[in-house]
Amino acid sequence: VLYRFKIMLEVPKVYWSDIGGQADVKSKLKESVEWPLKHPEAFARMGIRPPKGVLLYGPPGCSKTLMAKALATEAGLNFIAVKGPEIFQLFSKWVGESERAVREVFRKARAASPSIIFFDEIDALTVKRGSDGDGGTSVADRVLSQLLNELDGIEPLVNVTVVAATNRPDIIDSALLRPGRIDRILYVNPPDLASRREIFRLQLRRIQCSDEVNAEELALKTDGYSGAEVVAICQEAALQAMEDDIDAQFIRQEHFVRAIRSMKKRITPEMLQFY
Ligand code: ATP
């Protein structure tokens, strides 16, 4: 059987300082992943084991992927990224190929340790077992079993940390989140005022703005926007400035204000209740 699943080994270049704000999430992640690697003896002394896996959950565009990449960059870990739905695309062609892909991901991660396996959209991979009503033999079931096998470690996971991300923590099979598996669960919240100010500051450094542009004020006007939307607002402000005058040298505050007005919020209050 042809093996078609390409596993990309990356060394991302995202530093903690590239992520605006979100200080709590950053420090919890450092504790969970960096500390055990840097100070294994301290964990042994305290009689606790480091987590094998961390689940990052929260609304879209709020830095889950950036966090995983920064962890890898800052701790010098190899980074293997897999999207949940990709594992299933294989199924239509070859029976058993999806499970094999999961096995292969872990094999590569062990070979590249210390490493992080980043499972984005993990919900796609772990719909609650039996939910398609065929008594536990569906591909989803077999993929989940394979994933649990890997985590439970017939071969131990040494210096391999699984970081999973989802917008839908409610549909993840609870077996995956049991102690000893992906048992550190962190909410990645939408950026608060201080975080939005930092994201604006990071962006303003890169683009040509007039001195009047005020990150604090922009942060105040963007309550409820995701980090991705704050970044998009800065791009849009530049376009607004060019629309006014294609020879414009600087983006002014009014362009940002217009950009904010034109940007729709993707995160709704109903969506947040859900977390
Ligand atoms: P999804 O659930 O949609 O996959 P995500 O939570 O993984 O989203 P990211 O991919 O990390 O979100 O973020 C998307 C983009 O938004 C980033 O590439 C970055 O440009 C911007 N962004 C989001 N949050 C921040 C932040 N705190 N600081 C700087 N940039 C941010």
Side-chain angles (χ1 to χ4, degrees):
V1 179
L2 274 174
Y3 197 73
R4 284 283 191 83
F5 188 63
K6 280 241 161 49
I7 298 165
M8 302 298 284
L9 196 67
E10 294 176 53
V11 185
K13 281 268 167 295
V14 177
Y15 295 88
W16 293 123
S17 58
D18 296 326
I19 308 178
Q22 311 286 68
D24 288 350
V25 182
K26 285 178 189 169
S27 67
K28 289 212 179 92
L29 270 177
K30 285 184 204 171
E31 266 174 46
S32 308
V33 183
E34 274 183 14
W35 287 8
L37 287 167
K38 285 192 187 151
H39 312 286
E41 70 297 336
F43 280 71
R45 195 180 332 116
M46 293 293 164
I48 56 169
R49 43 156 201 84
K52 266 185 214 166
V54 182
L55 177 70
L56 302 176
Y57 74 95
C62 293
S63 77
K64 295 183 293 300
T65 306
L66 288 180
M67 292 284 174
K69 289 187 169 172
L71 259 180
T73 307
E74 297 267 2
L77 311 174
N78 282 309
F79 188 79
I80 294 168
V82 189
K83 279 195 198 303
E86 283 172 0
I87 298 269
F88 288 112
Q89 278 156 17
L90 302 162
F91 170 66
S92 54
K93 300 205 174 103
W94 296 291
V95 175
E97 209 66 352
S98 295
E99 298 97 289
R100 203 166 125 184
V102 172
R103 225 166 30 236
E104 190 62 8
V105 165
F106 279 84
R107 195 188 64 72
K108 283 258 162 77
R110 285 189 178 92
S113 78
S115 59
I116 282 183
I117 304 175
F118 179 57
F119 273 112
D120 201 3
E121 302 176 56
I122 186 110
D123 45 280
L125 216 140
T126 68
V127 232
K128 287 193 174 77
R129 274 177 294 180
S131 55
D132 53 0
D134 64 357
T137 54
S138 70
V139 209
D141 291 342
R142 284 184 278 124
V143 164
L144 179 60
S145 301
Q146 186 61 45
L147 191 54
L148 296 179
N149 282 340
E150 296 291 346
L151 287 167
D152 292 345
I154 303 157
E155 294 167 65
L157 274 183
V158 180
N159 290 342
V160 175
T161 306
V162 175
V163 179
T166 185
N167 303 317
R168 294 292 312 272
D170 57 310
I171 59 171
I172 293 182
D173 195 299
S174 57
L176 196 63
L177 308 179
R178 285 208 195 111
R181 293 173 179 167
I182 301 179
D183 57 2
R184 194 67 52 100
I185 298 172
L186 290 180
Y187 177 47
V188 183
N189 52 290
D192 61 8
L193 180 68
S195 296
R196 293 195 304 278
R197 187 181 56 219
E198 288 314 307
I199 303 170
F200 272 118
R201 284 205 179 127
L202 287 169
Q203 290 298 309
L204 297 186
R205 261 186 239 148
R206 292 182 196 159
I207 54 184
Q208 292 296 325
C209 295
S210 73
D211 293 341
E212 60 165 14
V213 175
N214 182 326
E216 177 73 31
E217 214 174 287
L218 296 174
L220 281 165
K221 288 183 193 297
T222 44
D223 186 31
Y225 283 96
S226 71
E229 286 161 345
V230 169
V231 171
I233 284 167
C234 296
Q235 301 289 311
E236 177 58 28
L239 290 173
Q240 293 281 345
M242 286 156 68
E243 251 176 47
D244 270 6
D245 173 7
I246 193 66
D247 297 318
Q249 303 290 315
F250 296 105
I251 313 165
R252 295 194 309 272
Q253 185 81 357
E254 63 176 290
H255 299 126
F256 283 93
V257 174
R258 266 195 260 155
I260 292 167
R261 272 197 221 116
S262 71
M263 188 72 54
K264 219 170 127 31
K265 289 180 199 174
R266 201 171 148 207
I267 305 172
T268 60
E270 299 81 63
M271 203 189 244
L272 289 177
Q273 277 174 17
F274 185 86
Y275 300 115

